[in-house]
Amino acid sequence: MSLWRRLYGADPLHLLAVLGCLALSGYVVSLLWEDPSWVALLIWFVGAVIGHDLVLYPLYALADQPVVLARWARRRYGRERPVLVPAINHVRAPVLGSAVLGLIYLPTITRHGEDAFRFTAGLGMEGIFQHWLLITAALFLGSAVVYAARCGFAARKQKRSV
Amino acid sequence: MTTEDATEQGVAEDPTPGRPGGVRTAVEPEYGFPAPLFRVAARIPVPPPFHPRTWRSPLRGTWLTSVFGAVLLVGLPIVILTGLMSYIAYGPQFGQAIPGDVGGLHLPFFDWPTDPSWFYRLTQGLHVVGGMVLTPIVLAKLWSVVPKLFAWPPVTSVAQLLERISLLALVGGILFEFVTGLMNSQYDYSWGFGFYTAHYYGAWVFIAGFVSHVVIKLPTMVRALRSGPHGTGAFARWLHDSPAETEPEPMDSHGLAALDPNRPTLSRRGLLGLVGGGSLLVGVFSIGQTWDAARPLALLSPRGQSYGDGPNDFQINRTLAGSGINPVALGDGWRLRLTGGSGEVSLSRADLAAMPQHTAVLPIACVEGWSTTRTWSGVRLRDLAALAGVPAPDNAFVASVETAGAFARATLQSNQVLDEDSLLALRVGDDDGGPMADLSPDHGYPARVIVPALPGVHNTKWVASIDFRRRGGAA
């Protein structure tokens, strides 16, 4: 067994699972082999992976560096006034909320499916972009109000303890 | 920094990132054959993003990924199974599920039930809205494992090489399924392939990757969730810590925890709250497309809009204009033809209205994930079957006046014809006992089929004929 592990790098169950995955994927590919649109399928399948890695990888990397952003902000505003409540999560939350809604409803917000929708349902998609803007505004304003309230409480607490 | 005051001060005044957890060293992975080669490769200095110091989040680690994994382990099977059930609901036994021949890639066939009437509404609502709600968690899971994508050396054994190839099925599969599903439910068809075929086969590639990933990683997930911080088993402590108290997860052979973590700006419960809050937000703005009471909240969905025409104010999946039907064919000259018995029966709309009328409150649910409950009234399909001389048909073939579209016809199972609420509807109203009206032209005037728990597109509109069939029979 230990020889097997040294050669292969994992236990035999691992090999079974991986080969099962490859076999089933291979079966699906064999069923689609004759499909006239297999090139488009392949492009979208691989494109989904590459698109995710290209578009979201820099965002993930940026999300990992809040301290760099915080330092930049601090250089601009000096250190005299200590930060009572860190602002970063009050920015993160509405940015992520707005972004995930925008991503999921992208075809509607950008009206990309509007022609097909009008043919199908007799309605357009106008106004939905504005809805998204309104929701985004509500998220940012709500976050700002909570932040202001937290700052107020923190300042009062600090005053009392001085 | 043990007292709370001191920690708070630390957050407030010290801008330089600390090194919580002391000196951290990467755990050497278990190299397979040829191990010396992998060790040499590991010593080659590499630039970001391959350098292990690229990824700085102090929250990444085996435990965090396991939490996201556990949520998806519950959520994704629901989305997978309801999706596969939708294939059955389309009636593959009549060749009307798409794609037609899928080899062995399907659930065991069964007759789709008519009871409960909200069954398809539930399964398809779970499939579409469930997929949308899981999107933030899928993205968070991918964020949590992104260091592995750029790990150096890229391969450490034959096992890992094979596993990375299988991960293409997993990650490619889930991204492909989510992208095509989200686009289709929003009428964006810019792919160059048919949605049903692509989404169905893509699902099986994803299932292949998903099952194999679960088999390989389940023990790791269970161990990580059980062990808690530093193996104390204190699951709650990970969630209790404030940002300042948050310690990075220990380095382990899974290579997710950061070698050089930043000082935490977000606690673990904060991150889980952020991701869960994202799912909740998506849920709030999406559930309205399939739950009537929340419809005003479906502000971002094309199906959250109103037609503003009273009893007929519900979603349309095929307009009269889109059907290409000449409206004259639906006028006074329209007749319903019933066949299958000894002779053909022809009925005008007035004839139908003079027959015993039955009223039923039934949902209509679309594969795209929207649904709504309406009150329908019209003639029972089983009364029409009896009238045609086939009181116990094995199935019924319904054809529309429309001829062009893929759903201008549908075959109904025996139980779908004989259910007491299965109607050829003439009139419709809201689900609240409001006034009823004749079906509007867009909703299938003069008459349309409505069957409990049947996918929306098989509730044929502008019905021209129904052929009640007996197996191997005299039809």
Side-chain angles (χ1 to χ4, degrees):
Chain A
M1 182 56 95
S2 85
L3 177 69
W4 167 267
R5 265 202 91 94
R6 243 187 329 208
L7 282 178
Y8 178 64
D11 54 53
L13 179 65
H14 181 282
L15 183 60
L16 279 181
V18 173
L19 289 182
C21 166
L22 298 182
L24 181 51
S25 305
Y27 180 58
V28 173
V29 170
S30 79
L31 287 176
L32 283 169
W33 201 245
E34 314 259 289
D35 195 285
S37 58
W38 70 270
V39 177
L41 284 167
L42 187 69
I43 289 173
W44 276 80
F45 192 89
V46 177
V49 180
I50 296 175
H52 168 266
D53 294 345
L54 283 188
V55 176
L56 292 184
Y57 154 69
L59 293 179
Y60 290 166
L62 193 69
D64 270 24
Q65 301 294 349
V67 177
V68 174
L69 299 179
R71 264 195 224 138
W72 173 84
R74 222 170 266 274
R75 268 205 301 279
R76 293 182 64 103
Y77 296 109
R79 335 186 33 162
E80 309 85 55
R81 287 178 57 211
V83 176
L84 287 175
V85 180
I88 176 124
N89 293 323
H90 292 274
V91 178
R92 267 183 181 142
V95 165
L96 289 176
S98 169
V100 79
L101 285 177
L103 187 68
I104 287 176
Y105 283 105
L106 195 65
T108 307
I109 289 170
T110 58
R111 298 168 72 166
H112 210 253
E114 186 162 35
D115 289 345
F117 188 56
R118 200 178 292 285
F119 179 81
T120 298
L123 289 174
M125 291 176 168
E126 56 276 280
I128 293 185
F129 172 63
Q130 280 88 337
H131 289 170
W132 177 70
L133 285 183
L134 273 176
I135 292 167
T136 301
L139 289 173
F140 274 89
L141 286 175
S143 181
V145 167
V146 173
Y147 178 64
R150 283 185 63 193
C151 283
F153 284 127
R156 229 172 60 174
K157 197 172 146 195
Q158 198 188 41
K159 228 180 203 171
R160 261 195 221 141
S161 63
V162 164
Chain B
M1 292 217 284
T2 46
T3 67
E4 212 169 301
D5 282 350
T7 22
E8 265 182 21
Q9 242 179 12
V11 170
E13 292 191 356
D14 182 10
T16 51
R19 290 290 152 78
V23 177
R24 293 164 68 83
T25 44
V27 176
E28 186 178 77
E30 201 178 330
Y31 292 122
F33 180 80
L37 184 73
F38 291 127
R39 279 204 193 91
V40 169
R43 265 185 239 124
I44 299 171
V46 282
F50 301 100
H51 195 279
R53 282 178 212 279
T54 309
W55 304 101
R56 301 281 185 133
S57 170
L59 300 183
R60 265 200 205 92
T62 313
W63 181 84
L64 184 76
T65 297
S66 298
V67 172
F68 293 137
V71 176
L72 293 176
L73 185 57
V74 175
L76 286 174
I78 295 175
V79 175
I80 292 171
L81 278 176
T82 49
L84 291 175
M85 284 164 81
S86 183
Y87 183 80
I88 306 279
Y90 267 65
Q93 69 270 42
F94 304 125
Q96 52 191 5
I98 315 169
D101 179 16
V102 294
L105 298 180
H106 56 79
L107 297 181
F109 291 134
F110 58 93
D111 264 6
W112 191 251
T114 53
D115 185 35
S117 64
W118 41 262
F119 193 54
Y120 190 68
R121 168 182 229 188
L122 177 75
T123 60
Q124 200 55 21
L126 277 174
H127 182 68
V128 175
V129 179
M132 296 169 107
V133 166
L134 286 183
T135 304
I137 300 166
V138 169
L139 291 175
K141 175 81 159 59
L142 289 170
W143 168 83
S144 79
V145 297
V146 74
K148 301 277 273 187
L149 179 64
F150 298 102
W152 187 265
V155 169
T156 57
S157 64
V158 179
Q160 213 210 346
L161 175 66
L162 290 175
E163 192 178 328
R164 291 200 76 158
I165 296 171
S166 80
L167 284 174
L168 187 65
L170 178 77
V171 179
I174 198 163
L175 292 171
F176 182 81
E177 288 302 279
F178 274 60
V179 167
T180 51
L182 286 169
M183 285 172 70
N184 184 67
S185 67
Q186 295 173 68
Y187 308 88
D188 186 346
Y189 307 129
S190 33
W191 310 294
F193 49 73
F195 168 73
Y196 286 90
T197 301
H199 201 64
Y200 196 77
Y201 286 123
W204 281 100
V205 173
F206 170 63
I207 290 168
F210 182 65
V211 171
S212 127
H213 189 64
V214 169
V215 169
I216 293 172
K217 294 294 190 188
L218 189 70
T220 305
M221 185 191 91
V222 172
R223 227 176 290 132
L225 291 179
R226 277 219 188 122
S227 69
H230 308 297
T232 56
F235 182 87
R237 221 205 87 196
W238 282 130
L239 297 178
H240 175 269
D241 292 345
S242 70
E245 294 161 343
T246 299
E247 283 177 31
E249 283 192 44
M251 307 285 292
D252 61 22
S253 60
H254 301 294
L256 294 172
L259 175 64
D260 187 13
N262 283 329
R263 206 183 52 200
T265 53
L266 185 64
S267 63
R268 286 195 172 77
R269 65 164 183 266
L271 177 63
L272 297 184
L274 207 57
V275 176
S279 279
L280 190 70
L281 191 71
V282 173
V284 163
F285 289 112
S286 304
I287 189 75
Q289 57 183 295
T290 189
W291 181 30
D292 292 309
R295 195 158 310 271
L297 284 173
L299 289 169
L300 298 173
S301 166
R303 292 303 188 175
Q305 303 180 75
S306 164
Y307 290 86
D309 53 353
N312 276 290
D313 181 13
F314 61 103
Q315 297 304 314
I316 297 166
N317 213 20
R318 188 81 160 157
T319 56
L320 180 63
S323 73
I325 297 173
N326 181 353
V328 174
L330 306 175
D332 291 339
W334 175 85
R335 291 291 181 276
L336 172 71
R337 290 186 324 120
L338 304 177
T339 53
S342 48
E344 184 182 305
V345 178
S346 176
L347 300 166
S348 69
R349 195 168 192 281
D351 296 334
L352 287 167
M355 288 178 68
Q357 301 291 301
H358 179 72
T359 301
V361 179
L362 295 175
I364 182 161
C366 180
V367 70
E368 287 149 10
W370 63 263
S371 68
T372 183
T373 306
R374 294 271 118 182
T375 307
W376 313 84
S377 82
V379 183
R380 281 185 171 130
L381 290 180
R382 65 186 188 195
D383 292 351
L384 293 175
L387 191 65
V390 194
D394 288 309
N395 59 68
F397 179 79
V398 183
S400 172
V401 177
E402 178 188 2
T403 52
F407 300 109
R409 61 205 70 82
T411 305
L412 304 176
Q413 300 161 184
S414 172
N415 63 327
Q416 290 167 339
V417 178
L418 298 177
D419 190 281
E420 62 167 356
D421 283 341
S422 294
L423 301 177
L424 184 71
L426 307 178
R427 294 168 67 79
V428 70
D430 62 22
D431 62 335
D432 225 15
M436 306 275 289
D438 283 347
L439 289 168
S440 70
D442 282 334
H443 280 306
Y445 181 90
R448 75 170 301 166
V449 167
I450 182 79
V451 168
L454 187 68
V457 285
H458 283 173
N459 291 299
T460 309
K461 301 199 276 194
W462 313 293
V463 174
S465 65
I466 306 177
D467 185 28
F468 296 98
R469 294 169 172 176
R470 274 171 296 212
R471 209 164 288 135

